[in-house]
């Protein structure tokens, strides 16, 4: 076999960064429910603690959560599993029961319930390798991203739509996507502003 070329080896620091990033992308995350009674005068202010318990787990990277206006349904975006978990919420004790998992084409980041349309909106990252390179510090990488929506139909099924995908040239690493006044608003942590896009015609 031919000897391994040293040109193919990265430095130790780069390997550690990649290892840390991959570990983050495969970590098991959970949803907690916390209660805190600010009216409890028997407990000193510095000692007041929230009473927390796990109400949902089994995610790879839970990276967004929202509820419908009735608070009876909770939605959790799992970025590394390319899906949104759907839960029924017990109003009495706050417990969650997983009722569905919506598979997505792209990786979601954050999720919102759009009251006007009744749809869930989430950002969509098309290429995970671009996200990893950007997270490793390569600011020259333009990460493509956009918006996906999920509509729940009366028969209990759902419809996923890839509404918009932007190449990252104007806004890189999209992490939020919402409808605002007839436009699509895209946001990104490393960017100084937001991107406003017309809603594509059907």
């Amino acid at each position: 076999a031919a000897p391994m070329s040293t040109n193919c080896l990265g430095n130790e620091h780069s390997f550690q960064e990649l290892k840390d990033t991959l570990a983050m992308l495969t970590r098991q995350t959970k949803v907690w429910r916390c209660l805190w009674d600010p009216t409890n005068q028997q407990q000193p202010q510095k000692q007041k603690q929230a009473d927390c318990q796990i109400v949902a787990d089994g995610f790879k990277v839970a990276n967004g959560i929202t509820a419908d206006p009735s608070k009876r349904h909770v939605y959790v975006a799992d970025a590394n599993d390319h899906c949104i978990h759907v839960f029924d919420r017990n109003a009495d004790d706050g417990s969650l029961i997983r009722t569905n998992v919506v598979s997505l084409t792209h990786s979601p980041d954050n999720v919102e319930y759009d009251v006007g349309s009744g749809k869930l909106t989430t950002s969509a990252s098309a290429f995970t390798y671009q996200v990893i390179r950007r997270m490793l510090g390569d600011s020259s990488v333009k990460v493509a991203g956009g918006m996906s929506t999920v509509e729940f139909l009366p028969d209990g099924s759902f419809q996923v739509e890839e509404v918009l995908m932007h190449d990252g040239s104007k806004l890189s690493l999209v992490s939020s996507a919402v409808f605002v006044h007839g436009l699509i608003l895209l946001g990104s942590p490393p960017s100084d502003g937001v991107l406003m896009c017309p809603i594509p015609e059907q």
Side-chain angles (χ1 to χ4, degrees), residues 119-122 147-151 159-163 179:
K119 298 179 181 180
L120 298 179
T121 67
T122 180
M147 170 190 273
S148 298
T149 63
V150 180
E151 180 181 6
Q159 180 175 330
V160 177
E161 182 181 0
E162 306 298 331
V163 180
F179 292 120

Side-chain angles (χ1 to χ4, degrees):
M4 183 180 295
S5 171
T6 56
N7 293 331
C8 297
L9 299 178
N11 59 55
E12 182 178 350
H13 181 63
S14 295
F15 278 126
Q16 185 60 46
E17 285 183 328
L18 180 59
K19 180 180 178 182
D20 293 343
T21 303
L22 292 177
M24 182 196 70
L25 292 176
T26 56
R27 70 178 186 262
Q28 296 292 321
T29 50
K30 301 173 176 62
V31 174
W32 293 76
R33 177 176 183 262
C34 297
L35 297 175
W36 177 63
D37 183 8
T39 65
N40 185 358
Q41 302 299 324
Q42 303 300 318
Q43 191 177 32
Q45 184 67 30
K46 292 183 179 180
Q47 297 179 9
K48 288 185 178 180
Q49 295 182 355
D51 179 21
C52 299
Q53 60 181 343
I54 297 171
V55 291
D57 57 12
F59 312 101
K60 291 186 177 178
V61 179
N63 204 33
I65 186 170
T66 192
D68 68 351
S70 72
K71 309 300 182 185
R72 293 185 300 171
H73 306 289
V74 174
Y75 310 95
V76 179
D78 193 329
N80 203 35
D81 222 9
H82 290 206
C83 67
I84 294 176
H85 296 260
V86 183
F87 296 89
D88 284 347
R89 175 180 174 272
N90 187 314
D92 295 328
D93 59 13
S95 60
L96 300 179
I97 299 176
R98 185 182 279 105
T99 58
N100 214 333
V101 178
V102 180
S103 296
L104 303 173
T105 303
H106 305 302
S107 175
D109 187 4
N110 292 307
V111 60
E112 302 290 342
Y113 186 94
D114 182 66
V115 177
S117 65
K119 298 179 181 180
L120 298 179
T121 67
T122 180
S123 67
S125 295
F127 305 108
T128 304
Y129 75 90
Q130 292 180 339
V131 176
I132 293 176
R133 286 181 59 191
R134 184 62 184 259
M135 292 175 66
L136 289 176
D138 188 349
S139 59
S140 67
V141 176
K142 304 301 182 185
V143 184
M147 170 190 273
S148 298
T149 63
V150 180
E151 180 181 6
F152 294 95
L153 305 177
D155 63 1
S157 63
F158 55 83
Q159 180 175 330
V160 177
E161 182 181 0
E162 306 298 331
V163 180
L164 175 73
M165 185 56 65
H166 172 59
D167 63 6
S169 59
K170 294 184 178 180
L171 189 80
S172 182
L173 198 63
V174 174
S175 68
S176 62
V178 295
F179 292 120
V180 178
H181 299 306
L183 296 170
I184 294 174
L185 196 65
L186 302 178
S188 168
S191 300
D192 294 331
V194 296
L195 190 64
M196 292 187 296
C197 308
I199 299 175
E201 295 183 3
Q202 300 296 323

